Amino acid sequence: MTIMIAARLSGYRGIAAFGEYAARLDEEQLRAVGGFWSPSRRRFTAPATSTFHCVLSSMPPDALETALREWIEQFSEAGAPVALDGKDVRGASRQIEGERRMLVAAVEHGSGLVLGQVRVGSKTNEIPTMRQQSQDLDLKGRVVTLDALHAQQETARCLVESCRADYVVISVKDNQPTIRKNLEDLDWAGAGWSEDKFDKGHGRLETRRCAVFDLSDPKWNETRKLKGRKQAFRTARTLHVRKTGKTSRETVYGLTSLGADKAGPDAMLSLVSNHWRIENRLHYATDFTCDEDRCRARVRHLPRNLACPGNAAISIIRLKGEFKYLPEANRRYAAKTRDALDAVLNASRR
């Protein structure tokens, strides 16, 4: 696992690449990572490509996921919000007719640490998988941000009662038409609004603002039912594309178990904005930087177990805080093998 994570830090992808990386390690480096001592050759030897394939395809994913989660949790910021979201491993999904390989990930706001990632079963979907993952993680006292798919009674109940956490459903869409209609019908004119937040980049200017509506009054008890909900919010987003001159506007409604004393309009806008960073900090990174979308591994536990070293590598790079982009870190570690191994072996000592 040390070799695989160091290889991912260096930009190596896939089973064959892990074997090539291991073959380039000298005897001192193999000794440092706990390599196999060959009595006949009287030296430390590197694992072969077939060894990596055998280990990753046969290792119980839950065991590997639990070990990495416990390792990452020691660096986690106490009380930091957590974003939960699902992702399709497209390369693996295309190899299996009628079946999708989906993973649900938990990413910490701010630090970008990948706290865990589990596979969605072939006969289920993201919703029950997310509930199970929430109970496996230590979410007590944290805020969990979710997308529209998880605007579900049982999901809200699981987070509030079982996990002792708060939730922010950043959008309520057509999968909950009654709740959405009720939210739209609220008198938002009397709601408190956040300050405008501006983002500029990639030739676009984006403006966002958020209004929060208190639902603690008993007269709202029979509407917008979602276990533990205390506030509704409305996020208004305006996007201007400089090149075309086109401007688009979008209004999204959401619900949260956070009361007015814990989250006002500005705090709510920040939670909603940070949730979408999971797309850039994990999904985009694994799809493009790690090239996961083109990975066609499908044998037994390979798809899920291959994702674990990549997530661990991303978390180490986030912890180091030296690199603005993942490719920059990959180039640095590819040029300095010793630094890559040290980053893995000494991470727990920081």
Side-chain angles (χ1 to χ4, degrees):
M1 282 306 303
T2 301
I3 293 174
M4 285 189 282
I5 296 173
R8 293 307 296 263
L9 280 173
S10 305
Y12 286 70
R13 310 161 185 150
I15 302 296
F18 293 161
E20 293 173 9
Y21 185 86
R24 294 191 175 105
L25 300 180
D26 59 35
E27 191 168 2
E28 180 184 352
Q29 292 166 340
L30 289 170
R31 180 190 294 112
V33 301
F36 173 70
W37 170 262
S38 173
S40 59
R41 300 180 184 180
R42 300 186 62 79
R43 62 183 176 84
F44 288 93
T45 58
T49 299
S50 59
T51 303
F52 289 106
H53 188 282
C54 178
V55 169
L56 286 177
S57 62
S58 60
M59 181 182 293
D62 291 338
L64 178 57
E65 179 64 38
T66 299
L68 287 175
R69 182 174 66 243
E70 291 175 351
W71 178 73
I72 289 296
E73 282 178 350
Q74 64 183 315
F75 311 113
S76 178
E77 181 183 346
V82 175
L84 292 177
D85 195 24
K87 175 187 176 296
D88 183 10
V89 185
R90 297 177 187 174
S93 295
R94 283 194 291 266
Q95 299 301 306
I96 310 170
E97 186 176 352
E99 182 180 341
R100 298 177 66 191
R101 290 297 177 95
M102 297 286 298
L103 298 174
V104 175
V107 177
E108 190 173 84
H109 288 204
S111 69
L113 294 181
V114 184
L115 302 180
Q117 185 164 278
V118 297
R119 182 191 166 195
V120 177
S122 58
K123 296 182 179 180
T124 183
N125 57 41
E126 285 183 46
I127 297 173
T129 304
M130 196 283 295
R131 293 174 193 153
Q132 183 59 52
Q133 187 185 30
S134 298
Q135 296 183 64
D136 292 339
L137 297 170
D138 182 12
L139 297 177
K140 184 178 180 180
R142 294 200 185 213
V143 178
V144 179
T145 57
L146 312 160
D147 63 19
L149 180 65
H150 302 289
Q152 306 286 334
Q153 287 290 356
E154 287 306 313
T155 299
R157 191 184 309 278
C158 172
L159 291 170
V160 173
E161 296 182 351
S162 300
C163 301
R164 304 294 181 186
D166 283 300
Y167 64 81
V168 175
V169 179
I170 62 170
S171 61
V172 176
K173 296 186 177 179
D174 293 338
N175 62 322
Q176 293 286 4
T178 302
I179 296 179
R180 177 183 171 88
K181 182 65 168 60
N182 288 338
L183 291 173
E184 292 174 346
D185 291 341
L186 285 173
D187 183 12
W188 291 97
W193 284 89
S194 68
E195 294 184 1
D196 288 355
K197 183 175 181 180
F198 301 94
D199 282 323
K200 183 172 65 174
H202 306 288
R204 300 178 301 180
L205 178 62
E206 185 178 8
T207 306
R208 294 190 300 273
R209 61 197 304 250
C210 181
V212 175
F213 194 100
D214 189 359
L215 296 174
S216 60
D217 193 299
K219 70 180 181 179
W220 305 117
N221 286 350
E222 298 304 317
T223 60
R224 304 154 196 93
K225 288 185 176 181
L226 200 62
K227 178 66 178 179
R229 97 291 176 262
K230 294 180 181 177
Q231 294 190 101
F233 58 90
R234 183 173 78 170
T235 306
R237 176 175 175 264
T238 303
L239 183 65
H240 177 73
V241 181
R242 293 181 176 181
K243 185 175 182 179
T244 62
K246 292 184 177 180
T247 299
S248 60
R249 293 176 174 82
E250 181 184 31
T251 300
V252 177
Y253 299 89
L255 286 168
T256 179
S257 64
L258 292 168
D261 58 327
K262 292 184 178 180
D266 290 302
M268 195 62 61
L269 180 60
S270 178
L271 286 168
V272 172
S273 300
N274 287 334
H275 174 82
W276 291 119
R277 291 186 179 180
I278 192 173
E279 297 289 340
N280 295 328
R281 309 208 78 180
L282 180 63
H283 296 341
Y284 184 89
T286 54
D287 285 349
F288 294 94
T289 304
C290 300
D291 213 19
E292 191 173 274
D293 261 3
R294 291 200 300 169
C295 177
R296 298 185 294 176
R298 63 186 187 279
V299 178
R300 300 181 66 190
H301 305 309
L302 266 181
R304 180 174 168 188
N305 282 341
L306 267 175
C308 288
N311 291 339
I314 290 172
S315 294
I316 289 173
I317 293 171
R318 305 288 190 217
L319 285 168
K320 294 282 286 185
E322 299 177 11
F323 308 100
K324 188 174 181 181
Y325 302 108
L326 295 182
E328 178 187 358
N330 295 155
R331 291 189 292 269
R332 158 77 176 278
Y333 288 123
K336 297 186 176 182
T337 303
R338 182 173 180 175
D339 287 357
L341 295 174
D342 285 344
V344 182
L345 293 172
N346 299 327
S348 60
R349 300 175 189 172
R350 293 193 188 95

